[in-house]
Amino acid sequence: MSASFVFFLFFIIIFSNHPAYADDQTTAKNTTQLVDRVCNKTSNYSFCVEALYTDPRTPDADTYTLAYISFGLAYKTATNTRSQITDLLKNNATSDDLKRCLKDYNTAIEALGSGLNDLNSETFFTLPGYANTTSRSAEDCEAHYKSLVSTTIKSLCQICVVVANLFNGGGS
Ligand SMILES: *[C@@H]1O[C@H](CO)[C@@H](O)[C@H](O)[C@H]1NC(C)=O
Ligand SMILES: *[C@@H]1O[C@H](CO)[C@@H](O)[C@H](O)[C@H]1NC(C)=O
Ligand SMILES: *[C@@H]1O[C@H](CO)[C@@H](O)[C@H](O)[C@H]1NC(C)=O
Ligand SMILES: *[C@@H]1O[C@H](CO)[C@@H](O)[C@H](O)[C@H]1NC(C)=O
Ligand SMILES: *[C@@H]1O[C@H](CO)[C@@H](O)[C@H](O)[C@H]1NC(C)=O
């Protein structure tokens, strides 16, 4: 009776502790020095770390790979947002705001594509400008169509800018 009660308590402790333990493991990421250095320069450290670690290459990434990863993440997000806009346009084909957003995201995707192209040819000085263009396009869309929240794309662009500046002597 008493032994099984102790056993019962033992399980209560195990199971009640488990979620907290799991949370600790996911929040306290073992980040690399490079990721730490980059994310520390963005406005949301934990967003930055979480975003970069969705890519399996991040634990071993050098600056070059991290630039690919960050521009790739922004590209993927911008493409998803553009699909969302295209869907919204199906029900609202005359909305000038949505048309404007589509134009904005076409601009953003083109800029990010150029960034990825330049990375392929190891041209780095253009990268901050492309990230900037993307961020401003997302803001322009949001100003016209509020429900297309662009926090994610803007935060991803911020990571792109920080990584890009590491090539241009802007790193510390
Ligand atoms: C954290 O990463 C370093 C190398 O980047 C490694 O040596 C260390 O074992 C890792 N620690 C944990 C808890 O995974
Ligand atoms: C993060 O930046 C602050 C200053 O903004 C600095 O004091 C701190 O040491 C930095 N941490 C890392 C891990 O780079
Ligand atoms: C930072 O990003 C996390 C998601 O990674 C989010 O939960 C949190 O609200 C963000 N913080 C701010 C101040 O935006
Ligand atoms: C169409 O778009 C406008 C914004 O341009 C919005 O105010 C309106 O609610 C939308 N209509 C529908 C049916 O989604
Ligand atoms: C990015 O845009 C801001 C204004 O929106 C500007 O101050 C900054 O110089 C731009 N940076 C680059 C690299 O174009």
Side-chain angles (χ1 to χ4, degrees), residues 31-40 49 52-53 58 66:
T31 58
T32 64
Q33 265 186 352
L34 178 61
V35 169
D36 243 25
R37 193 149 68 96
V38 166
C39 291
N40 197 28
V49 170
L52 290 175
Y53 275 86
T58 294
L66 210 59

Side-chain angles (χ1 to χ4, degrees), residues 125-133 135-136 139 161 165 168:
F125 75 95
T126 50
L127 297 177
Y130 289 134
N132 226 11
T133 300
S135 205
R136 275 189 276 112
E139 270 168 24
V161 169
N165 281 330
N168 302 324

